[in-house]
Amino acid sequence: DRSCTITASYGGKSDEHNLTIKNVLPDYVVQSASFSPPYLYTGEKVNVKFTVKNQGGLPSNPPSYVTIYLDSLANVPGYSAPIMTVKVGGTLGLYSGQSVTLTVSPTIPSGIPAGKYYIRVIADYYKTEKESNENNNVLEASGHLIVYAGGSIL
């Protein structure tokens, strides 16, 4: 929001009024994110459930995209990348106040180092939507994912 004071004078009289202009852009926020199972092998799928909301004052422009991001912990060298991008909100984007909950199953890439990873959900990953707040689009799921190299748990 932005505020200003307007002063009008006429015939020796003046009057002041404060004016607040509301920010009426879309604003994505990832409200929740979780994943299961907590451990798996490369090449297997992890289930990621998330809720994204447009808490801004206008509908978003279609298409709206959310990216699932796999990021290694400090002790695992060298892997940080998106593992899936999904379209949300249908052909009309997300209306003001609308939220959508999805469960997706991206595959953990083969060849990544075994170790502990974070799962992050990032709304508007490609930065195609002008938003009232560009700094609230990321949520890290609680806990970490343990990835084993090759093979299968089953």
Side-chain angles (χ1 to χ4, degrees):
D1 296 352
R2 296 179 187 216
S3 298
C4 66
T5 301
I6 298 174
T7 303
S9 297
Y10 180 75
K13 295 182 180 182
S14 67
D15 197 9
E16 286 188 0
H17 293 279
N18 290 324
L19 176 66
T20 301
I21 300 170
K22 295 283 186 185
N23 196 347
V24 290
L25 293 172
D27 183 25
Y28 293 115
V29 62
V30 182
Q31 294 184 308
S32 65
S34 61
F35 65 89
S36 67
Y39 51 87
L40 43 71
Y41 282 87
T42 58
E44 293 184 325
K45 293 182 183 292
V46 59
N47 299 311
V48 180
K49 182 178 181 179
F50 61 90
T51 300
V52 174
K53 181 176 183 176
N54 175 4
Q55 66 181 13
L58 285 178
S60 62
N61 294 312
S64 301
Y65 292 99
V66 172
T67 297
I68 311 302
Y69 205 84
L70 186 65
D71 199 6
S72 61
L73 297 174
N75 63 349
V76 181
Y79 193 82
S80 185
I83 55 174
M84 178 179 269
T85 298
V86 294
K87 191 177 187 180
V88 297
T91 58
L92 300 176
L94 290 177
Y95 293 109
S96 175
Q98 181 183 12
S99 62
V100 61
T101 300
L102 294 173
T103 300
V104 296
S105 299
T107 300
I108 300 301
S110 297
I112 68 168
K116 295 178 182 179
Y117 291 84
Y118 293 113
I119 298 281
R120 290 189 177 93
V121 179
I122 306 171
D124 193 28
Y125 180 75
Y126 299 115
K127 302 287 186 208
T128 57
E129 186 73 57
K130 183 173 177 161
E131 299 179 66
S132 58
N133 183 352
E134 294 285 354
N135 298 315
N136 62 352
N137 292 1
V138 180
L139 183 65
E140 186 175 287
S142 180
H144 54 263
L145 175 66
I146 298 172
V147 174
Y148 299 102
S152 175
I153 294 173
L154 300 177

